[in-house]
Amino acid sequence: MASYGRDRLPVFLDCDPGIDDAFALMVLLGSPGVELLGISTVGGNVPVELTCENARRILELCGRAQVPVAAGRAQPLAKTLVSAEEVHGRDGLGNINLPSPTVPEAAGGGVSLLIDKLLAVPRAILLATAPLTNVAVALQEHPEISGHIQRIVWMGGSTGFGNVTPAAEYNAWADPEAARQVIRSGVPFVMVGLNVTHQVALDRSTLAHYRTLGNPVAETAARMLDFYVTFHEQEAGTDRSPIHDAVAAVAAIYPASLRTVSYPVDVETKGEITEGATVVDLRGLHSDQPRIEVGLEADAGFHLEVMADSLASFSAA
Ligand code: RIB
Ligand code: CA
């Protein structure tokens, strides 16, 4: 068991569940000391209504139905949403048909929930594992929330290769305008890009281990991730599957588990073949660009250990 001495860590999650978002949520809920303030969901992997239902499905599965959830923006700031059911299934959770949620979403919408929950605490981590549409709108509408954000930890972007195009990662590509606005906002920002998340991969032996943990959350994670691993087997010919959002969750909880360097970064919003690329100035020559913490190296063994330990923390009943 990894050792976890820590104080309480207030976290707000903005996500688009989505299999790896759902797994990231399980990691948050299963990690000691994390105080999940609330969840806003956004149109991304699947339409926003379904991302909201899925977040509530996972909360109820984990016995945490009291955590407030609300759907935010359905569409990116400027583009039209392109979803990713081929990766996450038509239900967004690997077609495992989890029971519909019984607790309704919070009133007022996801952007208002994000704003209200951040303003209610002195400082919190904003973990974003989706296109940054909600976060951009929240900062536009209430810039004062920036004083309540210790840091934004975003699964998105890359220092090099993309996944939707050769140049762009999905969360940046889906809403490049939002990504540019949030990165330029000056709020402390940690980018957990594909260059990092591909260092932390699970495979079918990982899923087999999850199935031995003997509780419904771990079993559901294994069922959900089976679809995700199958997609990667078909796409890349290997069962090694980068578990993007869960890596960002571990990095948010345990910042020392990710090595970062401060670089100027901007987001391409107009490129014919580079739209959505997060352009990292690795030589730091363009000082007029905003500097953010760019993730370079994860302690993969620790990340996988935290993921397994968080699943093991749920009761068998
Ligand atoms: O590129 C991977 C990211 O896009 C992950 O957050 C995944 O859930 C999708 O949203
Ligand atoms: Ca996601």
Side-chain angles (χ1 to χ4, degrees):
M1 173 78 80
S3 61
Y4 297 117
R6 70 166 35 264
D7 300 326
R8 296 204 62 71
L9 183 74
V11 176
F12 190 93
L13 173 64
D14 184 76
C15 57
D16 60 338
I19 293 171
D20 57 334
D21 302 74
F23 189 41
L25 177 52
M26 292 172 177
V27 170
L28 289 175
L29 296 172
S31 293
V34 172
E35 181 182 354
L36 186 55
L37 303 173
I39 300 173
S40 53
T41 72
V42 68
N45 290 319
V46 292
V48 68
E49 298 80 6
L50 188 48
T51 63
C52 186
E53 277 184 36
N54 286 341
R56 288 147 57 210
R57 283 185 167 94
I58 299 299
L59 285 170
E60 294 187 22
L61 170 74
C62 296
R64 301 289 300 279
Q66 77 281 6
V67 175
V69 184
R73 290 298 179 95
Q75 290 291 324
L77 295 184
K79 291 175 67 172
T80 299
L81 178 65
V82 176
S83 53
E85 285 85 353
E86 71 280 5
V87 184
H88 298 273
R90 98 192 104 63
D91 72 352
L93 295 179
N95 296 335
I96 60 171
N97 299 314
L98 277 186
S100 293
T102 58
V103 176
E105 71 174 286
V111 172
S112 296
L113 182 65
L114 185 157
I115 293 165
D116 294 346
K117 288 300 182 184
L118 289 177
L119 291 180
V121 295
R123 308 282 277 168
I125 305 292
L126 176 51
L127 174 62
T129 61
L132 287 168
T133 318
N134 288 340
V135 179
V137 171
L139 284 167
Q140 283 167 2
E141 291 181 356
H142 286 272
E144 70 272 22
I145 62 172
S146 58
H148 297 254
I149 301 171
Q150 184 176 344
R151 62 183 174 278
I152 295 172
V153 179
W154 180 50
M155 191 283 129
S158 176
T159 60
F161 60 93
N163 56 4
V164 182
T165 73
E169 176 280 325
Y170 175 80
N171 289 337
W173 176 85
D175 195 342
E177 284 78 11
R180 167 178 278 195
Q181 284 184 23
V182 177
I183 286 173
R184 287 185 173 188
S185 70
V187 176
F189 192 98
V190 179
M191 185 173 91
V192 185
L194 296 177
N195 58 296
V196 168
T197 61
H198 276 256
Q199 299 171 27
V200 187
L202 48 75
D203 57 26
R204 292 204 176 282
S205 67
T206 319
L207 306 193
H209 172 61
Y210 291 172
R211 287 194 174 92
T212 69
L213 296 176
N215 68 63
V217 176
E219 177 60 28
T220 301
R223 290 173 60 213
M224 192 174 66
L225 289 163
D226 185 76
F227 185 98
Y228 189 76
V229 171
T230 300
F231 168 82
H232 285 90
E233 279 173 335
Q234 291 166 352
E235 181 190 56
T238 170
D239 63 342
R240 272 182 54 77
S241 303
I243 192 66
H244 309 291
D245 295 341
V247 175
V250 177
I253 302 166
Y254 304 102
S257 72
L258 175 69
R259 183 170 70 83
T260 66
V261 174
S262 176
Y263 288 120
V265 175
D266 207 344
V267 184
E268 178 56 71
T269 59
K270 303 284 183 245
E272 182 184 346
I273 59 173
T274 57
E275 179 187 77
T278 47
V279 182
V280 181
D281 176 6
L282 292 169
R283 296 176 63 203
L285 297 182
H286 303 281
S287 57
D288 59 325
Q289 297 299 343
R291 282 183 175 268
I292 62 172
E293 289 305 308
V294 175
L296 296 180
E297 186 180 11
D299 179 339
F302 178 79
H303 277 239
L304 290 167
E305 189 176 337
V306 169
M307 292 172 198
D309 289 350
S310 64
L311 290 181
S313 74
F314 293 97
S315 59

